[in-house]
Structure formats: C-alpha cells, structure tokens
Amino acid sequence: MEESLRKITTTLALKNDEITNFICCLKQSLENLEGNSSRVQEDLETEFSSLHSVLDELKDSMVTRIKQERASHTYELQSQLSACSKALESSEELLEVANQTLCSSEADDFTQAAKDIKDSVTMAPAFRLSLKAKASDSMSHMMVDFTQEREMLQAIKFLPVPATPEILVSECQVCDNTVTVQWALPEPDTKIDHYDLEHRRTNYEGPPRAREDYPWMVVEGIRETEYTLTGLRFDTRYMTFRVKACNKAVAGEFSELVTLETHAFLFKLDAGSSHQNLKVEDLSVEWDSCGGKIIQDIRKDKNRTNQSPMHSPARTAMNSPKRVPSARVGRDRFTAESYTVLGDTFIDAGQQYWEVRFDKESKAFAVGLALRNLGRFDQLGKSNASWCIHLNNWLHQSLTAKHNNKARTLDCPIPDRIGVYCNYEEGALSFYNARTKTLMHTFRTKFTQPVIPAFSVWNGSFSVQTGLQVPSVVQSGQRKNSGTSSSNASLT
C-alpha cells in the first residue's frame, strides 16, 4: 500500500506540474493577446488614416481643377460679353445718327451723311461678332462616379493568413554543392507578397533535436516558389528546410520540415602524420625548413629534464586537430625526404571528391591517395602503396603521374587547383583541372584496402577544400569513360 500510495502521489505531483506549466502558458497567451490586439488596432487606425489622407488629397486636387475650369470659362464668357456690349453701344449710336439724317430736309447734306453712315455701318463691330458662346456653362464633364470605388471600399476586410506551403521533395535537387528547393501552395493566392525560406545543417535525418549544433539560416523576400542556395560547403550529412508564405500584413505557418541528404567527402589534415618540416593548420600546409630543428631542440630539452616524451610540449603541439583518431596511431610521423601529410578519414566505399590549391612555385608538390601501410620513409608515387600527380619545379617544371616508382609525363597545362576524384568500387582515381573540370589523368586499379588522401610539398604550400560533392560534369565524364580501357594501365 505504501508503494502504491507513493506512485499515486508521484503521478499527482507530475500532473500538478503540468497544470502549473499550462497555467503559465495561458497567462502568457493572455498577455500576448492584449499586446497583439493593441498592435493590430493601431495598425488598422494607421491604415485608415492613410486612406483618409489619400481621399482628402484627391478631393483637394479635383476641387482645384473645378475652380480652374470655372475661372477659364468665366474669362471667356466675360470677354465675349464685353465685346458684345461695346458692339451694341456702337450700333445704337449709328442708328441714332441714321434717324437724324433721315429727318434732315437738306438734300446736299443728306447725300453726304447717308454715304458716311453707310460706310460706318459696313465697318460696325456688330457685323464682326460671333453670336455663339465661346465657353459652355455646363460643368457636367467634371462630375465623378464613385460607385466602383465605393464597392471596393466596402469590400475591405482583414487579410487572411496565408496558407501553409508544401515543399515538393521530388522537385528538389542537390548537386554541385548547390541545393534547389521548390514548393507550392494548396491553391493560388494573389495576396502573397513573398516567401521566407529557412535552412539548417544537421547530422540527423529524423525530427529536429532539442539541441542542434547549427542555427537556422534565413533567406527573406523570395518572390518565386523556388530558390537555389549556391556556394555551399557540405560539412554535415543533411540540410533541413522549411518555408512560409507572407502577404503585406502577416506570415503564415512554416511548412513541414524536409531533410535533404548532402553527401560530400569531409576530412581534415592529420598533423600527427605530417613530416616535421610541414606546418599544418586545419586544411593548410606550409613548408618550414626550421621545423625539424626546432622539434629536435625541444626533445633535447625534455631529455635533459628527464620528462616523459608522451607529455612533452613538442608532442602536445603536434596533436592532430581532427575529431577522429589519427590514421597513424602508434606510428612515427613521416621523415627523411617523405615530406608527406595524410588526411584523417579513410575511403572504403562510394565516390568522393576534393580539391587542393597549391603554390605553383613550390619546388615539389604531390597529391593523391595512399594505403594505410604507407611507410614513414616512402615518398608518394614511389611505392605500390600510393598514387599521385607530382609537380617537379626544381631544375625544370614538369607534371607527372606516379605509382610504384613509375612515372608518366602529363602533356597538359599546370593548373593552380587540382580536383581529385575517387571511385572506390570501380578502382578509379582521377585528377582534374578544378577550374575547367578537364581530365588530367586517371589511374585504374583495384583497391584491396581502405585508402586515404595524401599530400606532399617541399619548399612551398597548399590548402585543401573538403565538403564538396562530386561535380556533375565529373560524374558524367566518368560514366562515359568507365567502359573504355585506360591508357595509363602501365602505372596501375
């Protein structure tokens, strides 16, 4: 009974906590409701004040036009009235003179007077007047009919909340480190002004976690129902998307989350594997001629103080920055003339692609793949455990493909950035001019164990770009060439 009572008490306490939390939510909702109601009411009053201002301005403009029209017609009619009054006055004077002449008894005076009167009447203003009004007294052309406008005003209502869009997964595309997202509304809505798209990187395919390492990124003001994100670097397995529609007043609800896979090969450089003369920082490497000497001096200091080399500053400084165990755990780093550094991630399946930008003034540079058993003294391409493209800039500049101590000179321009493609299952390792995606060389072999990106530099520098998808033009070219025999068989 005691255990049963304890369980009931615990359940009741949990229920009380839920009710308490719900009461807090309701109180917060009431506060939000009050604030939001006041805000939308103020917005409504502002909109109506703006509408009244527009109507007042329109009214003032139309009243001004009426006054201008009245003034113009008044001027025309008054001018015509003045001219007619003067002509009438002149005609009345002529009539009076003519009547006096007719009453005259002197024949000589009558003849001359009659002739003068005739000439005056002929030239009288009354005969030059137009008896048609120059301006109309009607103002009907200034009348207005607000029937349609009144109906429009009466139809004013609150804008509806936009419907929730749906992301069309089948129309979305992920290729060449770009993502194109398309969506649609349940039905057309002419009130939609724009869309807001949010995206977030994630390593989880399922529902979003409470704590995500990456924030939501927002793209606002999209006018169409699709958008393409470009220039991406895929350092996670997936990207999650959601979109909402917005009109002039309010935004709708976000769409259901859609997660798209963004497969790309991601790795870092393993500083723990690098030669002492290579200064490794994340994905960049620079030749340091003093590197080996400095480390030797540090080791001497540690030997003099009898400290364990496992805890020496030199070894601590050389710890790999990667998040996975070193590819060469328990082995010494490269030494002698093997100025090599490896990636920290093996390739044991699929198609992978990465790029490397190097200083063409380097005395020597190499990029390729190596097996995990690559010896600490081995130089890239000089054993059966590595394949590479090698730049020699010592006596004369040359670019060669090397494997198992065999070399083939490549007749192609030397780019400043090389793309590396690996198809593990098909045993293909190809090198491309990363700018033009022109194929430089292909090794064809059979990988019997995992391989790892490998790099070498002497008196120079390079940087690696990872998180890249296999470019579509590379995939297309590989499909075309997969059935043909390789001209580089002697190097495989």
Side-chain angles (χ1 to χ4, degrees):
M1 289 298 293
E2 181 180 353
E3 182 65 23
S4 177
L5 180 60
R6 185 178 291 107
K7 289 182 179 180
I8 293 175
T9 304
T10 302
T11 303
L12 181 59
L14 292 175
K15 192 63 177 179
N16 287 345
D17 290 340
E18 292 179 2
I19 295 174
T20 301
N21 292 334
F22 185 62
I23 289 174
C24 292
C25 291
L26 289 177
K27 290 181 178 179
Q28 184 63 47
S29 296
L30 287 172
E31 293 180 5
N32 293 341
L33 178 62
E34 186 68 24
N36 291 334
S37 298
S38 299
R39 178 180 57 81
V40 296
Q41 184 174 343
E42 291 175 359
D43 292 342
L44 182 64
E45 291 176 354
T46 300
E47 289 295 330
F48 271 94
S49 296
S50 176
L51 183 59
H52 291 157
S53 298
V54 171
L55 291 175
D56 288 339
E57 291 177 3
L58 181 60
K59 176 184 175 182
D60 292 341
S61 174
M62 298 182 77
V63 168
T64 300
R65 286 189 57 190
I66 291 175
K67 291 180 179 180
Q68 291 174 346
E69 191 81 0
R70 182 182 63 187
S72 175
H73 287 197
T74 299
Y75 175 78
E76 293 290 342
L77 292 174
Q78 286 183 343
S79 298
Q80 193 173 16
L81 176 61
S82 177
C84 289
S85 298
K86 291 181 179 180
L88 181 60
E89 183 179 353
S90 175
S91 296
E92 290 178 347
E93 291 178 355
L94 285 175
L95 285 174
E96 184 177 354
V97 172
N99 290 331
Q100 292 177 356
T101 301
L102 289 173
C103 295
S104 176
S105 58
E106 296 181 4
D108 294 339
D109 293 339
F110 175 80
T111 301
Q112 184 61 39
K115 182 178 179 182
D116 293 341
I117 292 172
K118 180 180 178 183
D119 293 340
S120 297
V121 170
T122 302
M123 299 299 297
F127 291 99
R128 297 195 301 272
L129 286 177
S130 172
L131 298 183
K132 182 178 179 181
K134 293 183 178 181
S136 172
D137 59 353
S138 172
M139 295 293 288
S140 58
H141 62 289
M142 305 297 286
M143 299 295 292
V144 295
D145 180 8
F146 285 136
T147 301
Q148 293 183 353
E149 289 76 7
R150 189 177 293 107
E151 292 176 354
M152 291 175 59
L153 290 174
Q154 291 173 345
I156 290 178
K157 61 181 68 175
F158 293 108
L159 277 173
V161 176
T164 303
E166 177 187 2
I167 295 180
L168 308 176
V169 179
S170 61
E171 301 298 326
C172 297
Q173 294 185 351
V174 181
C175 65
D176 296 327
N177 284 78
T178 67
V179 179
T180 298
V181 184
Q182 290 192 22
W183 57 88
L185 291 171
E187 57 185 31
D189 186 350
T190 59
K191 299 293 185 180
I192 297 299
D193 179 70
H194 65 274
Y195 298 89
D196 290 343
L197 176 68
E198 294 190 356
H199 58 92
R200 181 168 64 184
R201 294 176 291 169
T202 179
N203 284 307
Y204 308 105
E205 185 177 11
R209 305 296 179 93
R211 294 181 179 179
E212 288 279 1
D213 295 333
Y214 303 96
W216 284 105
M217 307 300 292
V218 183
V219 182
E220 298 179 324
I222 303 173
R223 302 294 179 179
E224 305 296 331
T225 56
E226 75 171 54
Y227 189 79
T228 300
L229 296 167
T230 60
L232 301 175
R233 178 175 177 266
F234 295 142
D235 54 1
T236 58
R237 294 183 60 192
Y238 305 97
M239 287 185 70
T240 301
F241 296 86
R242 63 185 185 185
V243 64
K244 63 181 178 181
C246 307
N247 55 35
K248 292 292 185 179
V250 66
E253 296 292 330
F254 274 111
S255 65
E256 293 291 333
L257 295 178
V258 168
T259 300
L260 302 178
E261 185 175 6
T262 55
H263 171 74
F265 186 42
L266 187 71
F267 66 91
K268 292 184 179 180
L269 296 177
D270 181 10
S273 72
S274 68
H275 192 281
Q276 294 175 355
N277 288 103
L278 300 184
K279 181 181 178 182
V280 180
E281 293 184 0
D282 194 17
L283 291 172
S284 299
V285 175
E286 186 175 359
W287 165 266
D288 183 4
S289 59
C290 298
K293 182 178 184 302
I294 293 175
I295 293 177
Q296 290 173 4
D297 292 342
I298 293 175
R299 286 177 176 173
K300 289 179 181 178
D301 293 339
K302 295 310 168 186
N303 290 334
R304 283 196 295 268
T305 57
N306 296 321
Q307 291 186 5
S308 171
M310 288 299 294
H311 303 287
S312 67
R315 183 173 295 275
T316 302
M318 293 301 171
N319 283 341
S320 173
K322 63 193 178 311
R323 290 171 293 179
V324 298
S326 171
R328 299 172 65 85
V329 173
R331 300 186 60 185
D332 292 336
R333 64 178 61 246
F334 291 102
T335 188
E337 294 184 358
S338 181
Y339 305 112
T340 302
V341 60
L342 302 177
D344 67 354
T345 304
F346 287 115
I347 300 173
D348 57 5
Q351 303 178 59
Q352 318 297 344
Y353 179 85
W354 62 98
E355 294 182 356
V356 55
R357 183 192 299 271
F358 60 95
D359 181 5
K360 291 197 293 185
E361 301 301 320
S362 302
K363 294 303 180 183
F365 171 76
V367 56
L369 288 177
L371 301 179
R372 66 195 323 170
N373 61 359
L374 183 68
R376 60 193 293 258
F377 293 96
D378 290 346
Q379 299 179 38
L380 293 185
K382 290 195 173 183
S383 70
N384 61 0
S386 62
W387 302 257
C388 73
I389 278 187
H390 181 267
L391 169 69
N392 179 19
N393 203 23
W394 178 234
L395 297 178
H396 64 278
Q397 193 175 66
S398 64
L399 193 65
T400 55
K402 290 186 175 183
H403 171 63
N404 201 19
N405 208 25
K406 296 179 182 179
R408 178 187 294 275
T409 301
L410 302 182
D411 184 17
C412 62
I414 299 176
D416 62 352
R417 197 168 81 229
I418 293 177
V420 185
Y421 166 83
C422 174
N423 188 323
Y424 188 86
E425 284 79 9
E426 294 188 3
L429 171 62
S430 298
F431 299 87
Y432 289 84
N433 182 322
R435 295 191 182 277
T436 63
K437 299 300 183 291
T438 303
L439 179 64
M440 300 168 61
H441 184 79
T442 296
F443 291 103
R444 296 199 182 278
T445 184
K446 182 178 181 180
F447 297 121
T448 58
Q449 58 179 290
V451 291
I452 194 168
F455 311 85
S456 176
V457 66
W458 176 48
N459 281 341
S461 62
F462 68 89
S463 62
V464 183
Q465 185 175 7
T466 68
L468 301 178
Q469 292 186 307
V470 179
S472 56
V473 63
V474 170
Q475 285 186 325
S476 176
Q478 289 291 324
R479 284 194 294 268
K480 291 180 181 179
N481 297 328
S482 61
T484 60
S485 61
S486 172
S487 61
N488 308 304
S490 60
L491 297 178
T492 58

